[in-house]
């Protein structure tokens, strides 16, 4: 299993959940030399007087001291929100004897727009008889899901021995710098009866694909449906994804958001929506959320506006706006279908990295064809600041269907944010940059 991310920004979200805001940047900065993580927390299920189980933090490393008042309040908000996202499936738990561990992730958005990713491994502690699962959650500002999944493998291996063996490993990790793309960091770790182990953690060369697993999407949805979803996301509509497994929701929604590269989804983004936040689907603003299949009836009963509802289990669309087939220009849509089908029909075994590169290239080329001339339509002043000439930019496209889509796309938040950055760069892009 791999993972995805999510953040909350509904108006009626409980106060303990950090708020997002419309128009914020959703990208995570990939910088080497930072701490790997801020916290490791363990979230366990505690039985309440009424017989229900509630998730509570039972372990935190490191403990933070000497914080200023504002920092302390932010930390408390963060720590209150984590259990909700570690057990988003509510109170449907009872002691069990067997459980296959699963990996998923989420993002919490602070009031200033900064984001923290929670990488989670839900597992059943070793032992005999019935017991409750627990979640190990690593909180980090860094987006590198494959690498953190490997770290969680090591945490799980140590958990089966003793909690005490986890601490020195995480301490060693915390003292190591986050590697640059393509580089490796080696962590020394001692395990009783096994001796000292050397654990190598390598970042992919292409940093923008290190947080993606496109194969998860291709296994569950046809290329045709993927393009319908992509078109809806491109116009910043409301998207709801349904599956039972947290890892499936997490992987697939993160893959959909990654199709938009080099643009970023800047609205509500919650790949695993906690049960208590189901009314998020009533928001009038754009959102991309994942909901467990068991809540489908409750979702359909909500008084929500038009939304695309996707069943990841059956690989079908449950509810659509109705124009998804017409959004993308026919010629470009066919080229992308050929590219995606070529991958699906190829009998050669591709690694995860190769699949990511192939799929990403198809969508990047789509954007190059549609908006690659944007740099030619930024007028540069003597001070070095740029001014985007939107009307001329749209008129420069000869194809009527492409121009129709472009006029809609330039009104989106993600395009506005992209152009704002380009106007500040002071380096005019070449025509097809």
């Amino acid at each position: 299993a791999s993972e995805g991310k999510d953040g909350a920004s509904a108006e009626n979200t409980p106060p303990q959940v950090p708020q997002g805001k419309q128009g914020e940047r959703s990208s995570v900065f990939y910088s080497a030399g930072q701490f790997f993580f801020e916290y490791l927390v363990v979230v366990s299920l505690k039985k309440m007087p009424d017989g229900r189980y509630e998730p509570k933090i039972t372990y935190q490393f490191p403990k933070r001291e000497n914080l200023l008042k504002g920092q302390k309040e932010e930390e408390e908000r963060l720590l209150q929100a984590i259990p909700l996202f570690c057990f988003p499936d509510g109170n449907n738990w009872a002691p069990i004897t067997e459980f296959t561990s699963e990996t998923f992730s989420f993002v919490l958005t602070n009031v200033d727009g900064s984001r923290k990713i929670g990488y989670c491994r839900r597992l059943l502690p070793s032992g005999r008889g019935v017991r409750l699962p627990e979640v190990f959650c690593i909180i980090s500002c860094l987006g590198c899901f494959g690498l953190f999944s490997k770290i969680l493998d090591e945490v799980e291996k140590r958990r089966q021995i003793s909690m005490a063996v986890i601490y020195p490993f995480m301490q060693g990790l915390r003292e190591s710098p986050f590697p640059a793309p393509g580089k490796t960091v080696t962590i020394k770790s001692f395990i009783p009866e096994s001796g000292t182990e050397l654990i190598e953690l390598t970042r992919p060369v292409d940093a923008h694909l290190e947080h993606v697993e496109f194969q998860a999407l291709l296994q569950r949805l046809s290329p045709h449906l993927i393009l319908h979803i992509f078109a809806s996301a491109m116009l910043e509509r409301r998207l709801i994804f349904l599956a039972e497994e947290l890892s499936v929701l997490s992987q697939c929604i993160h893959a959909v958001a990654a199709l938009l590269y080099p643009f970023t989804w800047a609205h509500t983004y919650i790949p695993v929506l906690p049960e208590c936040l189901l009314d998020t689907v009533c928001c009038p603003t754009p959102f991309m959320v994942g909901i467990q299949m068991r809540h489908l009836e409750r979702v359909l009963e909500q008084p929500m506006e038009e939304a695309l509802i996707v069943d990841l289990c059956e690989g079908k669309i449950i509810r659509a706006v109705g124009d998804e087939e017409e959004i993308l220009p026919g010629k470009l849509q066919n080229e992308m279908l050929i590219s995606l089908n070529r991958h699906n029909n190829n009998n050669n075994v591709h690694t995860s990295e190769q699949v990511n590169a192939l799929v990403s290239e198809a969508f990047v080329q789509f954007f190059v064809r549609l908006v690659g001339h944007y740099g030619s339509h930024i007028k540069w002043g003597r001070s070095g600041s740029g001014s985007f000439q939107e009307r001329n930019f749209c008129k420069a496209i000869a194809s009527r269907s492409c121009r129709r889509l472009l006029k809609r796309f330039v009104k989106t938040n993600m395009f506005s944010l992209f152009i704002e950055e380009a106007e500040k760069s002071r380096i005019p892009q070449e025509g097809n940059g």
Side-chain angles (χ1 to χ4, degrees), residues 132-400:
L132 289 160
E134 59 191 11
V135 174
F136 283 77
C137 177
I138 299 173
I139 300 293
S140 177
C141 298
L142 304 165
C144 190
F145 294 91
L147 189 143
F148 277 95
S149 189
K150 188 173 180 182
I151 292 170
L152 287 168
D153 290 342
E154 296 295 332
V155 168
E156 182 171 2
K157 185 166 75 176
R158 285 158 179 74
R159 177 65 182 102
Q160 304 311 324
I161 301 168
S162 164
M163 281 289 291
V165 191
I166 297 173
Y167 173 83
F169 169 67
M170 296 305 290
Q171 182 64 35
L173 189 65
R174 192 167 169 76
E175 292 169 357
S176 301
F178 191 64
K183 301 299 182 183
T184 299
V185 67
T186 302
I187 312 291
K188 284 186 179 181
S189 180
F190 177 78
I191 296 183
E193 299 181 13
S194 299
T196 300
E197 287 189 1
L198 296 178
I199 298 146
E200 292 191 340
L201 300 170
T202 304
R203 282 182 73 188
V205 175
D206 195 339
H208 96 266
L209 291 176
E210 65 187 342
H211 56 302
V212 186
E213 194 65 62
F214 286 129
Q215 191 68 57
L217 204 58
L218 291 164
Q219 287 171 347
R220 289 170 179 85
L221 298 172
S222 69
H224 212 76
L225 286 186
I226 290 172
L227 290 187
H228 284 186
I229 294 164
F230 167 71
S232 299
M234 191 180 160
L235 295 184
E236 296 183 330
R237 293 181 169 181
R238 288 170 285 276
L239 293 97
I240 299 170
F241 296 84
L242 297 158
E244 196 53 44
E245 295 175 28
L246 304 183
S247 56
V248 171
L249 287 171
S250 192
Q251 282 177 326
C252 289
I253 298 181
H254 198 63
V256 168
L259 295 176
L260 297 169
Y261 179 83
F263 302 92
T264 53
W265 181 263
H267 299 277
T268 301
Y269 183 67
I270 317 178
V272 182
L273 187 69
E275 184 179 5
C276 63
L277 299 181
L278 281 182
D279 62 358
T280 298
V281 301
C282 300
C283 287
T285 53
F287 58 75
M288 198 182 293
V289 300
I291 297 172
Q292 287 183 291
M293 187 60 77
R294 69 184 78 166
H295 303 308
L296 174 59
E297 284 189 22
R298 281 180 61 189
V299 170
L300 295 178
E301 289 168 0
Q302 298 291 326
M304 58 183 163
E305 298 187 26
E306 284 186 327
L308 184 72
I309 304 179
V310 182
D311 181 343
L312 293 169
C313 301
E314 298 289 331
K316 64 181 183 181
I317 290 175
I318 294 176
R319 185 183 289 179
V321 173
D323 64 347
E324 287 81 4
E325 185 69 50
E326 288 84 43
I327 295 173
L328 300 179
K331 186 179 178 184
L332 291 183
Q333 185 167 232
N334 287 336
E335 287 176 4
M336 294 167 80
L337 276 174
I338 290 168
S339 180
L340 292 176
N341 280 317
R342 187 185 298 132
H343 159 69
N344 271 0
N345 298 331
N346 195 334
N347 293 324
N348 295 330
V349 178
H350 291 303
T351 65
S352 174
E353 288 78 11
Q354 288 172 325
V355 171
N356 285 345
L358 287 168
V359 174
S360 181
E361 178 65 16
F363 287 87
V364 167
Q365 284 304 313
F366 167 83
F367 281 123
V368 168
R369 296 277 297 278
L370 188 70
V371 302
H373 59 296
Y374 76 91
S376 302
H377 296 277
I378 296 178
K379 190 175 181 180
W380 297 93
R382 290 182 180 179
S383 65
S385 61
S387 175
F388 181 60
Q389 310 296 299
E390 182 183 304
R391 192 176 175 197
N392 290 340
F393 169 71
C394 292
K395 283 173 66 178
I397 290 282
S399 162
R400 187 179 297 174

Side-chain angles (χ1 to χ4, degrees), residues 43-48 50 52-56 87 91:
V43 178
S44 306
L45 291 164
K46 296 295 181 185
K47 195 165 188 175
M48 308 309 287
D50 61 3
R52 294 180 307 116
Y53 288 95
E54 276 195 14
K56 303 282 185 184
F87 283 94
N91 300 305

Side-chain angles (χ1 to χ4, degrees), residues 388-421:
F388 181 60
Q389 310 296 299
E390 182 183 304
R391 192 176 175 197
N392 290 340
F393 169 71
C394 292
K395 283 173 66 178
I397 290 282
S399 162
R400 187 179 297 174
S401 58
C402 285
R403 197 161 59 242
R404 190 165 56 240
L405 173 60
L406 198 54
K407 285 180 179 178
R408 300 172 77 182
F409 185 54
V410 295
K411 302 301 181 188
T412 63
N413 225 338
M414 70 179 86
F415 185 80
S416 296
L417 290 170
F418 180 83
I419 287 299
E420 277 176 26
E421 288 300 313

Side-chain angles (χ1 to χ4, degrees), residues 35-66:
F35 277 138
F36 264 88
F37 68 99
E38 291 191 17
Y39 297 102
L40 167 72
V41 298
V42 180
V43 178
S44 306
L45 291 164
K46 296 295 181 185
K47 195 165 188 175
M48 308 309 287
D50 61 3
R52 294 180 307 116
Y53 288 95
E54 276 195 14
K56 303 282 185 184
I57 292 177
T58 53
Y59 177 86
Q60 175 191 332
F61 168 78
K63 295 278 187 188
R64 290 290 180 86
E65 296 174 356
N66 304 320

